């Protein structure tokens, strides 16, 4: 028996005629220049690639705010970068303290346990940021070798704003700090060296406004020292930082690099350098504040109190009597705007990462959300929502530039 070729539909018959505006929790829209770069394939080794890699590292040092000479790319999702940080820094038997605010910080705890760590989870109350005093107390109680934490918890839209103080508490006992900045890097300040972070993780498809599937990790000198002096052999081969160093610092072969993804990351980072971090942070803050004001203007409620609220992804309580799934389906079908549900919580989430933070995108999203709520039988004050959005945009004072 032979297997015959199946008859399938071509992508242009599957994809909608009008592309959906991706306003969920990632992936986010990518700039045209990033898309064009992602169409390029060159030799994965050789002089041209070396020059591109040098620039990716130089631009990453700026975006991560670090002098580190241990910045590595990963052919894989943000989770692969998380696993690379954890697997290389956690030696079996190490005490690890995982600050757990939700789904992704919980994933760091699970990865640490799989690496043979003795993991203590510090569970933070739902909807709240980690309290630095509570984390410091846990650090002194458990004496961890490694602490894991997220800067922004995408799953429930909580922001760990006390990160600098938490890093300081960990450093005071020589504990390495792994920070997941997948949804936050380049959308708000993160000073890797100044704060004393030992590993910063990012993915492509969120804060960086690049494609999914290619990620970056930056290690500090102290972290690298642990990596190069540990005596056991890593069970991961693809994620072994010492092997990855061959490609990223020695122009030689580890595995065939995701060439077109590296082109896309290069372009995404270049656009960040061109915009500058200060202007980018202001753009993100301005758009997110305006979006939040617009949502409240509609008469909807945000799911996290202002003090602990993440600006990169905004959580909104599903109005009473309404179904989360119905909202997502309606807004996508009738308004071509894609937003996200959540893992467990009765919220919908709207992203404010990279290209999502454009004035035309937030106006369209507020209109689409308000109209959807109305169509589904709820109440939403659209004129007020749009007015609040506009007012917030007009009154915004730059804070970074
Ligand atoms: C999305 C996300 C991840 C996981 O990224 P994937 O690319 O889906 O593996 C990890 N951490 C945070 C904070 C995220 O937002």
């Amino acid at each position: 028996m032979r297997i015959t070729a199946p008859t399938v539909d071509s992508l242009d018959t599957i994809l909608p005629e009008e592309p959906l505006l991706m306003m969920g929790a990632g992936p986010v829209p990518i700039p045209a220049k990033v898309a064009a770069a992602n169409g390029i394939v060159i030799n994965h080794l050789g002089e041209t690639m070396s020059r591109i890699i040098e620039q990716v590292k130089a631009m990453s040092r700026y975006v991560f705010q670090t002098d580190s000479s241990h910045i590595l790319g990963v052919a894989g999702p943000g989770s692969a970068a998380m696993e690379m940080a954890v697997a290389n820094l956690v030696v079996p038997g190490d005490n690890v303290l995982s600050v757990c605010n939700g789904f992704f910080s919980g994933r760091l705890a699970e990865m640490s346990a799989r690496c043979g760590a003795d993991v203590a989870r510090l569970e933070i109350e739902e909807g709240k940021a980690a309290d630095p005093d509570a984390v410091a107390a846990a650090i002194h109680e458990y004496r961890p070798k490694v602490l894991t934490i997220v800067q922004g918890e995408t799953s429930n839209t909580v922001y760990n704003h006390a990160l600098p103080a938490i890093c300081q508490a960990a450093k005071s006992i020589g504990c390495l700090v792994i920070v997941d900045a997948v949804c936050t890097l380049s959308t708000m300040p993160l000073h890797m060296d100044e704060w004393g972070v030992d590993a910063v993780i990012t993915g492509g498809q969120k804060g960086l406004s690049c494609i999914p599937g290619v990620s970056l990790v930056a290690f500090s000198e102290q972290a690298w020292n642990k990596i190069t002096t540990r005596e056991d052999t890593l069970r991961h081969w693809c994620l072994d930082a010492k092997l990855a160093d061959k490609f990223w610092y020695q122009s030689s072969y580890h595995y065939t690099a995701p060439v077109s993804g590296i082109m896309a990351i290069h372009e995404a980072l270049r656009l960040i350098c061109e915009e500058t971090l200060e202007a980018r942070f202001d753009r993100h803050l301005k758009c997110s504040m305006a979006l939040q004001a617009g949502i409240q203007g509609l008469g909807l409620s945000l799911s996290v109190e202002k003090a602990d609220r993440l600006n990169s992804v905004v959580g909104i309580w599903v109005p009473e009597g309404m179904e989360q799934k119905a909202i997502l389906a309606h807004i996508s079908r009738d308004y071509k705007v894609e937003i996200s549900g959540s893992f467990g919580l009765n919220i919908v989430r709207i992203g404010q990462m990279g290209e999502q933070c454009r004035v035309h995108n937030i106006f369209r999203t507020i209109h689409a959300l308000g109209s959807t709520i109305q169509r589904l039988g709820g109440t939403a004050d659209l004129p007020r929502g749009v007015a609040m959005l506009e007012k917030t945009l007009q009154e915004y004072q730059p804070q970074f530039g």
Side-chain angles (χ1 to χ4, degrees), residues 25 77-80 82 104 107 150 152-154 180-183 203 205-206:
S79 300
M82 292 162 85
F104 291 112
R107 186 176 288 179
V150 293
E153 179 54 81
T154 320
D180 175 341
V182 173
C183 74
Q205 77 276 21
K206 298 194 191 166

Side-chain angles (χ1 to χ4, degrees), residues 166-177:
I166 291 170
C167 292
Q168 202 175 14
K171 294 276 96 173
S172 74
I173 65 148
C175 167
L176 298 175
V177 179

Side-chain angles (χ1 to χ4, degrees), residues 91-167:
V91 175
D94 276 357
N95 274 359
V96 171
L97 177 63
S98 291
V99 178
C100 294
N101 294 85
F103 191 79
F104 291 112
S105 35
R107 186 176 288 179
L108 285 167
E110 192 193 331
M111 287 174 173
S112 303
R114 287 181 182 216
C115 286
D118 197 341
V119 181
R121 285 166 159 260
L122 181 64
E123 299 285 352
I124 310 298
E125 189 189 334
E126 178 62 49
K128 296 272 185 252
D131 167 25
D133 295 334
V135 179
I139 288 170
H140 290 288
E141 186 184 342
Y142 294 115
R143 316 284 308 170
K145 293 248 174 64
V146 175
L147 178 140
T148 66
I149 187 166
V150 293
Q151 184 178 29
E153 179 54 81
T154 320
S155 63
N156 56 9
T157 73
V158 164
Y159 171 39
N160 277 325
H161 44 79
L163 194 53
I166 291 170
C167 292

Side-chain angles (χ1 to χ4, degrees), residues 7 37 86 95 115 183 228 295 335 350 354 363 379 381 387:
T7 308
V86 170
N95 274 359
C115 286
C183 74
T228 50
I295 291 164
Y335 298 97
I350 299 179
F363 270 107
T379 46
D381 189 340

Side-chain angles (χ1 to χ4, degrees), residues 218-265:
F219 289 106
S220 71
E221 209 50 58
Q222 202 186 339
W224 197 253
N225 192 39
K226 179 162 184 178
I227 290 169
T228 50
T229 55
R230 65 187 278 186
E231 282 161 5
D232 58 331
T233 303
L234 222 65
R235 288 171 183 231
H236 288 275
W237 188 90
C238 284
L239 299 180
D240 187 329
K242 282 190 285 189
L243 297 180
D245 185 76
K246 290 190 179 182
F247 177 75
W248 287 84
Y249 289 88
Q250 302 168 46
S251 299
S252 71
Y253 179 64
H254 172 208
Y255 53 75
T256 304
V259 175
S260 46
I262 289 174
M263 301 295 153
I265 282 264

